[in-house]
Amino acid sequence: MNLTLKIWRQKNKDDKGKLVDYKINEVSPDMSFLEMLDVLNEQLINKGEDPVAFDHDCREGICGMCSLFINGQAHGPDRGITTCQLHMRMFKDEDTIFIEPFRATAFPVIKDLVVDRTSFDRIQHAGGFISVNTSGNTIDANAIPVNKHDADEAFEAATCIGCGACVASCKNSSAMLFVGAKVSQFALLPQGKVEATDRVLNMVKQMDEEGFGNCTNTGACEIECPKGISLENIARMNREYLSASLKG
Amino acid sequence: MSGILNSSIGRKFAMALSAFFLMIFLLQHFAINVTSVFSANTFNETSHFMGTNALVQYVFQPILLFSVVFHFVMGFVLEIKNRKARQIPYAKNNGAANSSWMSRNMIWTGLAILAFMGLHFYDFWFPEINTKYIQGDMSGLLADGSGYRYFEELQHKFLSPVRVGIYVVAFVFLALHLLHGFNSAFQSVGANNKYTKGLKGFGKAYAILIPLGFVIIALYHHFNHIS
């Protein structure tokens, strides 16, 4: 496959940045998208040019590190995958592919396609935890009976890898699917009940302070989420928040 | 509780509450309008009751006006805030791959409805307020006193094909707005779980049938009067 890549190049967070065209030839359809970028970077290094900076780590769809907005979609044109799981067979010979960073005021570009997603970490710090006695006589979590339906829903919420595709896909750059998943995974379990009120109030407050937009329920986040996190988690967070606000 | 309206979820909740009130009002408005197709007398009697009942006029009408203003103002506030949340747009954004046109264009369908409401207020609400509260005529009667004026006023407004055309287009925009807005309001108040599966179908039916009903009533009076 011979491709034209339009890649966002930005030297640092203060640079204005621009799309730069690159030609890449003889791309195997069996390559992953990141491997294709590796090949491009080898070519750029051999020519003495600055390679394209992009995030990646496990390359197994687990860590949530790879991002990229490819041809107008977070993680590219496929469902339920991260960019490292996207294969070049999804594209056609002579295609032009737009490769941009995840765009959100709360995700500032650090360099090229790398964005700062530490706003998610700060939201987690605000309440995405439970307090457990670690003095040595901790009760095994499996010894506490949990309703099967609740356990399944908590598990599904906990599969969120915090990649930020929800924010990138949302026309409002809202982080509510991420926060909804993090609130839900604890709200549904007995261990999370103790701090439920403070958790949702603090996490939503931090989310708002980070500059994420307001959810308008377009559902784009759910469609583009590599882990299929459901909009029901946002609805649960809304219920938890309203209930906590009345208590508070 | 004090800071709830300053939070993103609180604003969503307030938008949804105003939307619920407006959707209930729309249903009630439709129920009265539809009587005009079957009985001029029933339409006149109902309109006169609504136009002179103290509870409707002094409690529900101010709530309605507040809901309309609040829904539009908050809609604009949210749109401005959301645009600030992504200051650099994507060079290529394939929104159609993951969301409906209706959900992405609520501000535009909302603006079209706002423009129509200007015309609707000019046609009906302002003259009504003028007659009742400025001129002090609460009788609801025609100038010659031969009967109630409401049905004749309705028929007169639907004589103009241009006005009927605008009316039809406005209700298409309303249907598009409701196709996303109905279920979005329920999602905002947290009503999306295993118990609310039937809501999506009901919301689509409401969004299409109610505006379609208004359009049919307008066309009925237009063509009925011509013939």
Side-chain angles (χ1 to χ4, degrees), chain B residues 2 72 183:
Chain B
S2 58
F72 279 110
N183 283 307

Side-chain angles (χ1 to χ4, degrees), chain A residues 69 72 79 100 103 105 167-168 170 172-173 176 208 214-217 220 224 231-232 238-239 241-242 245, chain B residues 1 7-8 11-13 78 82 84-86 88 90-92 94 97-98 180 184 187-188 190 192 197:
Chain A
F69 207 73
R79 291 279 175 269
E100 299 175 78
R103 295 278 188 210
T105 307
V167 174
C170 176
N172 311 314
S173 304
M176 286 204 186
D208 290 346
N214 297 267
C215 171
T216 52
N217 307 317
E224 297 294 352
L231 285 181
E232 288 183 21
N238 294 348
R239 293 196 297 275
Y241 185 82
L242 294 167
S245 297
Chain B
M1 183 68 192
S7 73
S8 51
R11 285 190 288 265
K12 270 167 67 114
F13 188 69
L78 289 176
N82 290 342
K84 279 185 187 165
R86 178 172 296 137
I88 301 170
Y90 289 112
K92 184 170 183 178
N94 185 9
N98 49 41
H180 176 68
S184 178
Q187 164 77 13
S188 290
N192 179 3
K197 299 293 181 200

Side-chain angles (χ1 to χ4, degrees), chain A residues 68-84:
Chain A
L68 306 188
F69 207 73
I70 303 161
N71 270 357
Q73 285 179 264
H75 299 306
D78 207 350
R79 291 279 175 269
I81 58 159
T82 51
T83 300
C84 61

